[in-house]
């Protein structure tokens, strides 16, 4: 997808070998979105894959948009952005194909959602949207990507920073 954003990476403590961060996504997801993480996990001893987590998170994110739940949206999009810019292919690929690629599959308001997606992520996943969405829907999403500012950047970054400061086991 894209090169990692060093600011976001340093906020969550990902440095050096990208493969060392694989277990880190679970800690971060569990801290930022504990209910969603528990729902995606098979049981108390066998945790979900990052793909399972994103497939669980996707409909809940759509619902949070419909309910305008700013707290949840900050955590959901903050985690998704962290994953999308991560240097590890397993992590950024999951964010792309299991979350962003399908975010606009239903009638969700593209303008409202786009305000939560960074320009870097938009640019990275635009090709996925073009490939998977019907032409008319893609045109609407692409217009939103060009016109709508990333007005919820602070909420997304704050959600990640709080977990980084307090540690994953807060």
């Amino acid at each position: 997808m894209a090169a990692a954003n060093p600011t976001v990476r340093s906020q969550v403590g990902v440095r050096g070998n990208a493969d060392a961060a694989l277990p880190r996504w679970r800690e971060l997801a569990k801290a930022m979105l504990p209910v969603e993480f528990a729902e995606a996990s098979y049981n108390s001893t066998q945790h979900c894959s990052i793909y399972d987590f994103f497939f669980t998170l996707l409909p809940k994110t759509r619902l949070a948009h419909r309910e305008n739940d700013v707290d949840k949206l900050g955590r959901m999009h903050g985690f998704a952005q962290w994953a999308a810019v991560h240097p590890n292919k397993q992590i950024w690929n999951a964010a792309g194909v299991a979350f962003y690629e399908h975010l606009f599959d239903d009638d969700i308001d593209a303008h409202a959602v786009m305000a939560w997606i960074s320009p870097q992520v938009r640019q990275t996943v635009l090709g996925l949207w073009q490939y998977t969405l019907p032409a008319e829907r893609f045109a609407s999403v692409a217009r939103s990507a060009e016109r709508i500012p990333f007005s919820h950047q602070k909420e997304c970054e704050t959600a990640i920073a709080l977990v980084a400061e307090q540690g994953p086991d807060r």
Side-chain angles (χ1 to χ4, degrees):
M1 277 174 48
N5 177 333
T7 303
V8 174
R9 270 198 337 208
S10 65
Q11 288 176 340
V12 293
V14 178
R15 292 184 176 81
N17 184 352
D19 289 331
L22 283 175
R24 178 71 172 130
W25 81 262
R26 285 190 180 90
E27 294 172 6
L28 190 62
K30 193 173 182 180
M32 291 179 76
L33 300 153
V35 171
E36 294 79 1
F37 184 79
E39 286 182 26
S41 295
Y42 304 111
N43 56 47
S44 60
T45 58
Q46 185 177 1
H47 294 298
C48 62
S49 73
I50 193 164
Y51 290 90
D52 292 330
F53 180 72
F54 274 121
F55 281 128
T56 299
L57 189 61
L58 182 61
K60 294 181 176 304
T61 303
R62 290 183 186 132
L63 179 62
H65 275 288
R66 288 187 180 91
E67 295 175 349
N68 197 28
D69 188 335
V70 174
D71 177 57
K72 272 192 179 180
L73 288 169
R75 291 181 283 127
M76 291 168 163
H77 282 287
F79 180 81
Q81 178 176 308
W82 171 84
V85 300
H86 198 280
N88 185 290
K89 183 178 180 179
Q90 289 178 283
I91 294 174
W92 61 250
N93 190 61
V97 301
F99 184 79
Y100 287 111
E101 179 177 331
H102 300 286
L103 193 55
F104 297 104
D105 284 357
D106 71 357
D107 63 347
I108 195 164
D109 179 6
H111 281 17
V113 173
M114 208 56 74
W116 291 89
I117 302 173
S118 74
Q120 179 184 7
V121 172
R122 293 177 196 188
Q123 183 177 2
T124 301
V125 299
L126 197 62
L128 291 173
W129 294 330
Q130 184 175 21
Y131 182 74
T132 60
L133 295 173
E136 188 175 308
R137 179 67 168 151
F138 171 70
S140 171
V141 168
R143 278 191 303 276
S144 294
E146 290 175 12
R147 298 177 183 165
I148 304 301
F150 182 28
S151 58
H152 291 287
Q153 178 177 1
K154 183 177 179 181
E155 290 91 336
C156 294
E157 291 177 353
T158 299
I160 293 172
L162 284 174
V163 172
E165 287 173 13
Q166 298 174 4
D169 299 323
R170 63 180 179 124

